[in-house]
Amino acid sequence: MVKEEIMLQKRLIELSRTAYTRGIVTFSDFMNLNELNIFHSIPKNQLQSRYETYGGYHLAERQMVAFLPDALYYDYSYPFQALEISPLNQRFSEDLTHRDYLGAVMNLGIERCKLGDIMLENKKAFLFVRNELTEYVIENLTRIRHTSVQACAAAEFYESYEPKYEEIKGSIASVRLDTVLSLAYPVSRSKLTAYIESKKVFVNGKLITSNGYRLKEGDIISVRKMGRIVYDGVLSETKKGRCLTRVRRYL
């Protein structure tokens, strides 16, 4: 385990200890899939408190960890806010990408760990930001590339939010991880195998390095630099024993 991973584990263990000894809820920063996997690999006997993870909606990839004391006697909320970022003039706005939005916010001097997921929706974006930075972003994020923008607190953002997706159906030999990925992504099996073995594939936030990992209905699969899919399960079986399967690939 590298030094950065050890330091992350120590910080999370200390947050858990603080929640237990002081009887308060403590929170991590936003963590990416690899960091969440490092967290889940901490031996349970080193965590002194219960915990939950959340990123603003049920499909969030970047999430915070909340460490909860045994005797929780007050309501709590995660210390982040959903912001809506939209162009001042729709007619003259550019087609901005996830990279454009992220780069503009980080150019304000904000670390990635203070930011959650960014969701693009009809010429605008939703972004989760830690509470202490929301006003700063609202006041200072005025331009992305050549497009003038405004940021404000999102009036409504539902936990059930689901990004746009493409539904893909197909017949596969089994519900192994590699075969389901080959249905979702038009690349060779050998390339998918290389992605899995090089630690780029996560199922429900946990790193999976086995091609033969068997999926369950509802599993969320994230592949670095390729995107996310949800495995919707087996719809039916053919006479030859193949599985008619459906996945949702998020755009």
Side-chain angles (χ1 to χ4, degrees), residues 95-114:
D95 290 327
L96 300 173
T97 66
H98 182 281
R99 183 187 295 271
D100 293 328
Y101 285 101
L102 177 59
V105 177
M106 293 187 68
N107 281 341
L108 299 177
I110 297 175
E111 296 177 285
R112 187 66 178 100
C113 63
K114 306 300 182 182

Side-chain angles (χ1 to χ4, degrees), residues 220-233:
I220 302 171
I221 307 157
S222 299
V223 185
R224 284 185 176 175
K225 298 185 178 180
M226 292 179 68
R228 278 183 293 173
I229 66 172
V230 170
Y231 170 62
D232 282 335

Side-chain angles (χ1 to χ4, degrees), residues 130-163:
R130 284 204 64 128
N131 286 343
E132 65 269 23
L133 293 170
T134 55
E135 288 301 321
Y136 178 74
V137 173
I138 289 172
E139 292 175 5
N140 292 279
L141 184 63
T142 58
R143 180 172 292 272
I144 301 177
R145 286 175 54 189
H146 303 294
T147 299
S148 295
V149 301
Q150 62 181 356
C152 62
E156 292 183 337
F157 194 90
Y158 299 104
E159 186 175 350
S160 59
Y161 169 83
E162 184 171 17

Side-chain angles (χ1 to χ4, degrees), residues 171-212:
S171 175
I172 58 177
S174 67
V175 293
R176 289 164 46 108
L177 176 60
D178 56 357
T179 57
V180 172
L181 287 178
S182 68
L183 173 63
Y185 299 107
V187 298
S188 67
R189 182 69 66 84
S190 61
K191 185 173 182 179
L192 290 173
T193 296
Y195 264 80
I196 295 169
E197 293 177 349
S198 59
K199 301 182 179 181
K200 295 182 178 179
V201 179
F202 298 79
V203 178
N204 300 326
K206 294 185 179 181
L207 178 67
I208 302 296
T209 56
S210 169
N211 294 338

Side-chain angles (χ1 to χ4, degrees), residues 8-244:
L8 174 61
Q9 285 195 345
K10 286 183 177 179
R11 287 199 302 272
L12 295 170
I13 290 171
E14 178 60 23
L15 285 171
S16 176
R17 187 193 70 81
T18 300
Y20 176 79
T21 57
R22 297 181 57 190
I24 60 172
V25 182
T26 59
F27 299 93
S28 71
D29 281 330
F30 285 103
M31 297 197 292
N32 61 29
L33 288 171
N34 186 56
E35 291 165 334
L36 287 166
N37 184 70
I38 292 169
F39 167 66
H40 289 302
S41 69
I42 297 175
K44 300 306 179 192
N45 61 3
Q46 294 189 35
L47 297 174
Q48 295 180 272
S49 61
R50 298 178 295 124
Y51 64 84
E52 296 176 350
T53 63
Y54 185 58
Y57 65 111
H58 75 293
L59 285 173
E61 191 167 279
R62 296 180 62 82
Q63 299 187 27
M64 283 185 177
V65 182
F67 295 97
L68 312 175
D70 288 338
L72 182 59
Y73 56 88
Y74 61 93
D75 293 331
Y76 72 95
S77 59
Y78 283 78
F80 59 76
Q81 169 74 50
L83 298 184
E84 180 180 325
I85 306 169
S86 57
L88 288 176
N89 190 320
Q90 290 275 1
R91 182 178 177 183
F92 298 108
S93 64
E94 301 165 273
D95 290 327
L96 300 173
T97 66
H98 182 281
R99 183 187 295 271
D100 293 328
Y101 285 101
L102 177 59
V105 177
M106 293 187 68
N107 281 341
L108 299 177
I110 297 175
E111 296 177 285
R112 187 66 178 100
C113 63
K114 306 300 182 182
L115 307 171
D117 281 8
I118 301 173
M119 295 75 65
L120 307 187
E121 189 79 25
N122 299 327
K123 288 275 191 178
K124 63 183 178 182
F126 293 98
L127 165 67
F128 292 103
V129 183
R130 284 204 64 128
N131 286 343
E132 65 269 23
L133 293 170
T134 55
E135 288 301 321
Y136 178 74
V137 173
I138 289 172
E139 292 175 5
N140 292 279
L141 184 63
T142 58
R143 180 172 292 272
I144 301 177
R145 286 175 54 189
H146 303 294
T147 299
S148 295
V149 301
Q150 62 181 356
C152 62
E156 292 183 337
F157 194 90
Y158 299 104
E159 186 175 350
S160 59
Y161 169 83
E162 184 171 17
K164 292 181 180 179
Y165 62 86
E166 174 188 7
E167 190 175 277
I168 302 171
K169 294 180 182 178
S171 175
I172 58 177
S174 67
V175 293
R176 289 164 46 108
L177 176 60
D178 56 357
T179 57
V180 172
L181 287 178
S182 68
L183 173 63
Y185 299 107
V187 298
S188 67
R189 182 69 66 84
S190 61
K191 185 173 182 179
L192 290 173
T193 296
Y195 264 80
I196 295 169
E197 293 177 349
S198 59
K199 301 182 179 181
K200 295 182 178 179
V201 179
F202 298 79
V203 178
N204 300 326
K206 294 185 179 181
L207 178 67
I208 302 296
T209 56
S210 169
N211 294 338
Y213 181 86
R214 295 187 66 82
L215 296 169
K216 302 183 295 297
E217 184 176 344
D219 279 349
I220 302 171
I221 307 157
S222 299
V223 185
R224 284 185 176 175
K225 298 185 178 180
M226 292 179 68
R228 278 183 293 173
I229 66 172
V230 170
Y231 170 62
D232 282 335
V234 176
L235 304 177
S236 62
E237 293 188 11
T238 68
K239 292 181 180 179
K240 294 184 178 181
R242 293 181 65 84
C243 304
L244 178 61

